[in-house]
Amino acid sequence: GPKALPWFPEVRAKLDDPAYENWFVKFQDLQKTNVPVCTGSKCSALYHDQTQVPQRKETNGDDYDNGECDEECDCGAQPCGNYVFDFRNESLREWYVQTLYLDAVAATPDARFYVDDRIYGDNQGNVYVSEMSTYFSDDVALDAVELQDLLAGFNQTME
């Protein structure tokens, strides 16, 4: 799906490498966001939220079941979070299909994939990522045309 999750080694390597920052959607304004930019001592200009993400014990409620860490969770150089791939980027789309799907099938011929997260839009031109903040369109550095291009790139990749 559209989420770039740093607990997968292939994804973490790209998130941690500044050469690939254009593979990920960025925050529009780090001073005005609807979701935290920082967790513990780590901050990122790459858009991310903390929905269903491992977190430090003291930041979670009693009913939190998405993983807890005694100290700051280790998700590489970036804070733990759900990042979003920027599907407008052709080289990302090629890597995404080849590495995350085709290479996995080659390594495990019986592998099956179920992608339940998606990027979708409404009839007002808003774009959303499933299971992420509904403020996504407000928080990211993409205008209305770029959001539609992100949606189109995602749909093209999933075909």
Side-chain angles (χ1 to χ4, degrees):
K3 294 181 185 177
L5 306 174
W7 39 93
F8 292 106
E10 301 87 352
V11 175
R12 180 187 296 197
K14 301 304 183 195
L15 279 165
D16 286 353
D17 187 340
Y20 294 96
E21 72 178 25
N22 289 330
W23 281 20
F24 306 96
V25 175
K26 295 174 186 60
F27 279 109
Q28 177 175 275
D29 181 348
L30 296 177
Q31 305 304 312
K32 293 173 59 179
T33 65
N34 292 290
V35 295
V37 173
C38 303
T39 59
S41 64
K42 297 177 186 177
C43 300
S44 180
L46 303 176
Y47 177 85
H48 60 284
D49 75 6
Q50 275 73 46
T51 305
Q52 300 178 344
V53 171
Q55 297 179 17
R56 285 178 60 178
K57 285 183 181 180
E58 59 266 14
T59 62
N60 303 325
D62 292 336
D63 61 348
Y64 191 82
D65 63 358
N66 294 305
E68 293 182 325
C69 308
D70 289 332
E71 299 298 324
E72 184 167 5
C73 297
D74 182 9
C75 289
Q78 305 293 333
C80 287
N82 296 307
Y83 294 81
V84 178
F85 287 117
D86 190 340
F87 285 95
R88 299 173 303 154
N89 187 307
E90 179 69 30
S91 64
L92 161 73
R93 292 196 309 264
E94 291 170 7
W95 172 86
Y96 181 91
V97 170
Q98 184 63 49
T99 302
L100 298 184
Y101 292 95
L102 299 179
D103 290 352
V105 169
T108 310
D110 293 332
R112 301 291 182 264
F113 298 96
Y114 175 75
V115 178
D116 71 335
D117 293 325
R118 62 191 178 101
I119 298 174
Y120 60 98
D122 64 19
N123 50 4
Q124 279 86 39
N126 296 307
V127 172
Y128 304 97
V129 178
S130 57
E131 298 179 5
M132 292 188 78
S133 171
T134 56
Y135 294 105
F136 173 77
S137 293
D138 296 334
D139 281 348
V140 297
L142 302 175
D143 63 27
V145 171
E146 292 168 322
L147 284 166
Q148 292 303 313
D149 290 345
L150 176 70
L151 174 59
F154 175 75
N155 289 334
Q156 178 184 358
T157 304
M158 295 297 121
E159 290 178 351

